[in-house]
Amino acid sequence: MSSPEPPIRPQLAVSGVIFRDGKVLLVRRARSPGKGFYSLPGGRVEFGETLHTALHREIDEETALRVEILGLAGWREVLPTGPGTGHYLIMTFAARWASREPVLNDEHDDFKWLVPEEIGDLKVTGGLHDVIAAARRLV
């Protein structure tokens, strides 16, 4: 079975900066792209889905959490860096934890609830610090 061809157009994605008691949820990617990096839960928007619906679905699939979406914190464009890599426009929302405890799917192998100032030199995806700071202003 051959692997699918990478998309030839930019893909729309969402992610969530989830706050709980002053801390933010970071999840570590278990596979490429970004294997070993801590990031935010999220993923592609499906055709016909609203951004909020996509974010609720992705957070549920990846962490089992329920959240309240507070507003758009910012966006980031990720350009292809080589063969097999994608072009993404990621809309990042501030969210507040509502219920459940994290249960990770196979996309992630660790999670941490951290005060933003405690992230320090943790291996994180590009732009993460800036988007967390922007989301914090909405909480």
Side-chain angles (χ1 to χ4, degrees), residues 5-109:
E5 290 294 315
I8 59 170
R9 291 183 175 76
Q11 303 291 297
L12 180 61
V14 290
S15 65
V17 182
I18 304 169
F19 290 92
R20 180 182 186 180
D21 301 325
K23 296 180 178 181
V24 174
L25 178 69
L26 298 182
V27 291
R28 187 173 61 197
R29 295 181 180 178
R31 54 187 172 196
S32 293
K35 182 177 179 173
F37 283 81
Y38 282 88
S39 190
L40 303 169
R44 288 189 192 106
V45 176
E46 295 178 0
F47 183 78
E49 233 178 2
T50 68
L51 297 177
H52 283 200
T53 299
L55 184 58
H56 281 291
R57 176 184 53 75
E58 285 289 342
I59 289 172
D60 179 52
E61 288 175 2
E62 294 184 5
T63 69
L65 296 179
R66 296 292 183 257
V67 300
E68 171 192 1
I69 298 172
L70 304 173
L72 182 65
W75 60 275
R76 181 165 180 259
E77 186 172 24
V78 178
L79 297 172
T81 57
T85 63
H87 181 176
Y88 297 94
L89 177 62
I90 306 168
M91 309 299 287
T92 302
F93 292 84
R96 184 178 295 122
W97 173 85
S99 65
R100 297 188 175 177
E101 294 302 320
V103 177
L104 301 179
N105 69 4
D106 64 353
E107 293 177 46
H108 306 288
D109 60 11

Side-chain angles (χ1 to χ4, degrees), residues 93-134:
F93 292 84
R96 184 178 295 122
W97 173 85
S99 65
R100 297 188 175 177
E101 294 302 320
V103 177
L104 301 179
N105 69 4
D106 64 353
E107 293 177 46
H108 306 288
D109 60 11
D110 188 34
F111 73 90
K112 296 180 183 300
W113 287 104
L114 295 172
V115 173
E117 292 79 19
E118 294 176 347
I119 295 171
D121 61 356
L122 196 65
K123 190 173 163 184
V124 298
T125 52
L128 187 71
H129 295 284
D130 292 337
V131 77
I132 289 173

